[in-house]
Amino acid sequence: MTTPDIASTDSMAFSALRDPGAPTSEEVLPEVVRVTRDLIRFDTSNHGDGRARGEGPVAEYIAAYLRDRGLEPVIVAPDPGEGPVRPSVFARWGGDRPDLPPILVHGHMDVVPARPEEWSVDPFAGEIRDGMLWGRGALDMKDMLGMMLASVDAMVTSGRRPRRDVILGFLADEEAGGARGAEWIAREHPELVADATVALSEVGGYTVTIGGRRAWLLQTGEKGHAWVRLTARGSSGHASAVRPDNAVTAIARAVAGIGAIDWPVELTETTRALLDGIRSLAGLPEDAAPERVLAEAGPAEPFLAATLRSTTTPTVIDAGFMQNVVPATAEARIDVRPLPGADEKVLDRLREAAGDDVTVEVLAEGHGYESPFSGTFVDAVRATIAELDPEAVVLPYLLNAGTDNVALRPLGLAGYGFVPMRVPDGFDLPGGYHAVDERVPLDTLAFGRRTLTALLERY
Ligand SMILES: [Zn+2]
């Protein structure tokens, strides 16, 4: 299953790139680096609230890339109205065992915006510097799109096929919640993913070092989310008058009440398995507290810590417009992240803390989920890692945020996050998502491509 031909090309590229005196030769760049760089050069910034550059040109690039390698991609898009076209690309890649249910491997083409003045490089130039590819999307998630395309290239060129059919999906609008991407596809084009049973995408798959051992974090679940608006109403008018029903006071009281909720640690099947795995790698006693255990996970710790409990975080207060005017209404927004299955309980507790003076509306929500850390797909991930990185282990984890898998899951897909990223020591990969100077080490990208290819050949 390994691909020594391509592996040796990759290492040539890296020695050339790491040597500061050596020119970055186009010929020795691995295909995955070349294609990920091309993808970064399409500015697909998504500003939210329907404001976006759109995925049109990058979708055309991806479709042409797949067509050139014998696949038959389709492009689908909701009616754009006044805005830019928001296409998604799908292609079915035939495997050796068409009798097995296919796997959906998908990623989003949009990226969060970048402010060039804050960056060391042009965020959309796809610059290669210090052995890394820099740019918005280098980790989230044009890296994965590059690995998917370069896997097709590597296998088609060498006459190999995935074991089962692979449905490749390149989606629009994830960073704004997927209303024009995954949600729209789940509603209008479920046939595109109809018979798949596993959906593989972001955010897991990166490695952490625990007790001197490398652990690959396979994301097997996600927390849910709810965007909540609080509204307080009162009598408005001159601020010099006595007014007990002040909307600003009411909204402040509600926000303070919600901010003071002390959510308890609640372990799920996934977090329990993760904690057990870390305890045994780090040699910690069985009764070591969850927070203490997660401290062993290095740069991943802040993300993992948020999966121990539900959260209700106030993010916006919008009240008043003039010093001497009492406004009639005041608003606040709360970012709610319930543990899988806890949605109702968390919203009930939030309403209770908000009190009777405000109305609580859920503007949008997605339910969290957990997929099993067992079965043929998980076995294939483990076997692939055992082959390519024999000393390492695979641990499950829950994502503290949401991905397109939340929208696709009702179609009968078990969601997993595995963008294979073998992270060099000292490189804070999870800290790079959505960050200034987002970048990916070239050898991490190339090893990831080989891992994804091997996984698709095995599963
Ligand atoms: Zn992403």
Side-chain angles (χ1 to χ4, degrees), residues 203-210 215-221 223 265-268 270-275 277-279 290-311 339 395-401 430-431 433:
V203 172
Y206 60 89
T207 61
V208 292
T209 304
I210 299 167
W216 292 76
L217 294 177
L218 170 62
Q219 181 212 304
T220 57
K223 288 174 85 175
V265 168
E266 281 180 273
L267 301 185
T268 70
T270 307
T271 49
R272 208 170 272 127
L274 172 68
L275 292 169
I278 297 178
R279 272 193 202 101
E291 285 93 344
R292 165 71 192 88
V293 176
L294 293 185
E296 297 290 328
E301 189 269 342
F303 299 91
L304 299 176
T307 67
L308 294 177
R309 45 169 63 84
S310 298
T311 55
L339 288 169
L395 296 178
Y397 90 103
L398 186 67
L399 181 66
N400 59 320
Y433 298 125

Side-chain angles (χ1 to χ4, degrees), residues 108 140-141 174-175 202-203 434:
H108 60 82
D140 184 9
M141 64 177 294
E174 191 273 347
E175 294 292 359
E202 56 181 354
V203 172
H434 295 197

Side-chain angles (χ1 to χ4, degrees), residues 3-13 450:
T3 52
D5 49 332
I6 293 154
S8 55
T9 318
D10 288 348
S11 12
M12 268 167 53
R450 291 204 296 281

